Amino acid sequence: RGPLKQGGGDDDDGFGLDDRFIAEIMMSLDSEKIATLRKAFEQNDDDGLSLAEFVHVMTSILDMSHLMTSEQFAANLIEFFDQVDINGDGAMEWEEFTGFIVEQGMSEHDHQPDAISDYYFTATHETGNHNSYVEKVKYHKN
């Protein structure tokens, strides 16, 4: 088990704080855990949660022991906090947290095959093996 860090990869140091860590958090946050988390944010009025408060709340409601040690989880939460605290005030507001989660969810959805809403069959057959996302599609009317 290794920490999830930015730019990870399956090496000796773990697989990094990347979309997988964020996805694990998103999948682990059921409605009861979200309510608990929101209550923690609301108890601090508009000040948000400090780094220590955020790590404490998240480690108390989420179990990531199947992925990493508690120390690695805390380290990843610190990195997560730094990414989410977009205004850099050292506190994470509920709006920052939910905005980040929604943005990550939308970004993840954009790369899913079912994100294509309009698909029309053509006789063109692509035989190449691509290992990346489509960056641009152009339509040329004949």
Side-chain angles (χ1 to χ4, degrees):
R1 295 180 304 186
L4 299 169
K5 292 196 172 208
Q6 186 67 30
D10 292 329
D11 56 20
D12 293 339
D13 295 329
F15 46 87
L17 177 69
D18 57 11
D19 294 339
R20 291 174 290 175
F21 178 74
I22 296 165
E24 280 292 329
I25 288 176
M26 290 169 49
M27 289 187 302
S28 299
L29 288 173
D30 59 27
S31 59
E32 182 179 319
K33 290 175 183 167
I34 290 172
T36 301
L37 186 58
R38 184 171 188 152
K39 183 183 278 188
F41 275 96
E42 290 173 349
Q43 287 175 345
N44 286 356
D45 300 318
D46 293 331
D47 296 334
L49 297 176
S50 70
L51 174 59
E53 291 167 331
F54 176 72
V55 170
H56 174 75
V57 170
M58 294 296 281
T59 56
S60 68
I61 64 172
L62 296 178
D63 177 18
M64 295 286 180
S65 61
H66 62 288
L67 292 175
M68 65 195 81
T69 66
S70 58
E71 292 83 11
Q72 292 166 333
F73 183 43
N76 284 304
L77 287 172
I78 291 168
E79 178 73 23
F80 181 80
F81 183 95
D82 289 340
Q83 288 185 17
V84 176
D85 182 23
I86 56 174
N87 64 8
D89 65 353
M92 183 188 301
E93 290 82 22
W94 177 249
E95 291 76 22
E96 286 177 316
F97 179 78
T98 55
F100 183 83
I101 295 295
V102 167
E103 182 179 309
Q104 291 300 311
M106 290 176 66
S107 173
E108 181 68 22
H109 177 74
D110 289 344
H111 298 297
Q112 299 299 319
D114 62 351
I116 301 171
S117 58
D118 294 320
Y119 172 79
Y120 303 98
F121 179 77
T122 66
T124 305
H125 181 70
E126 175 64 47
T127 59
N129 183 11
H130 300 281
N131 294 324
S132 62
Y133 296 118
V134 174
E135 293 179 12
K136 185 186 283 186
V137 175
K138 290 187 177 182
Y139 173 73
H140 298 277
K141 191 174 183 177
N142 291 337

